[in-house]
Amino acid sequence: MLRAVEVITTVVVGLMVGVEFSVAFVMNRIFNALPEDADQLARSHGGRMLGAVMPFWYIGSLVLAAVWAVAGWHRPGTGLVVTAAALLIVSVIMSILLLVPINNRGKTWTPDNRPADWKEQMNRWDRYHYARVAVIIAAFTLLATALA
């Protein structure tokens, strides 16, 4: 049973890393190349769509890592899992304090009601997101190492 938790946790976190990496380094670059209205509309839609899913994914990943740490407390590699869980906590805190407030504003914007500094706000979101991606990549790396 523990092995199943280990594999499921690693896969779930790995998929989350893939989505967030894609947002940071693929999707946002595509959006930035679009005309201004299309860029803003794409970001708003992405904020609504991923904003509805990602909280469950982040919290679910953290819960799975915690279950793995508790269930495997006696096994080698538990320190890696605990550290990964701590990094996932950091990513959740970063999300709540830094990214979600910007996302909540951005997902309601249209070309008619967006603020003059909308691009600045999106650039700030991008910078915070890069940092969060680095944190979850580190967590994933630790989980994959503990799984090995």
Side-chain angles (χ1 to χ4, degrees), residues 29-97:
R29 291 183 181 189
I30 291 170
F31 296 163
N32 288 340
L34 295 171
E36 190 169 89
D37 287 353
D39 174 12
Q40 186 267 303
L41 288 169
R43 284 178 172 268
S44 292
H45 181 65
R48 286 188 300 274
M49 190 179 85
L50 289 173
V53 174
M54 296 316 284
F56 299 102
W57 211 337
Y58 273 83
I59 298 298
S61 295
L62 175 56
V63 168
L64 285 167
V67 168
W68 178 354
V70 170
W73 192 254
H74 59 284
R75 297 183 64 192
T78 301
L80 297 172
V81 178
V82 170
T83 305
L87 289 172
L88 292 172
I89 290 170
V90 168
S91 75
V92 169
I93 292 169
M94 289 176 71
S95 297
I96 292 168
L97 296 180

Side-chain angles (χ1 to χ4, degrees), residues 3 5-8 10-11 68 77 80-81 142-148:
R3 189 62 173 178
V5 170
E6 293 169 345
V7 170
I8 290 168
T10 305
V11 169
W68 178 354
L80 297 172
V81 178
L142 292 169
L143 292 172
T145 303
L147 183 63

Side-chain angles (χ1 to χ4, degrees), residues 61-146:
S61 295
L62 175 56
V63 168
L64 285 167
V67 168
W68 178 354
V70 170
W73 192 254
H74 59 284
R75 297 183 64 192
T78 301
L80 297 172
V81 178
V82 170
T83 305
L87 289 172
L88 292 172
I89 290 170
V90 168
S91 75
V92 169
I93 292 169
M94 289 176 71
S95 297
I96 292 168
L97 296 180
L98 302 173
L99 290 115
V100 168
I102 298 169
N103 189 63
N104 284 344
R105 289 190 302 272
K107 68 185 183 182
T108 66
W109 296 337
T110 67
D112 297 326
N113 72 0
R114 67 184 178 222
D117 71 338
W118 77 272
K119 280 192 176 189
E120 273 181 40
Q121 292 187 54
M122 291 297 98
N123 288 336
R124 187 176 322 113
W125 187 93
D126 289 346
R127 287 190 304 274
Y128 293 151
H129 184 65
Y130 293 143
R132 180 175 62 179
V133 168
V135 169
I136 63 174
I137 287 172
F140 173 68
T141 302
L142 292 169
L143 292 172
T145 303

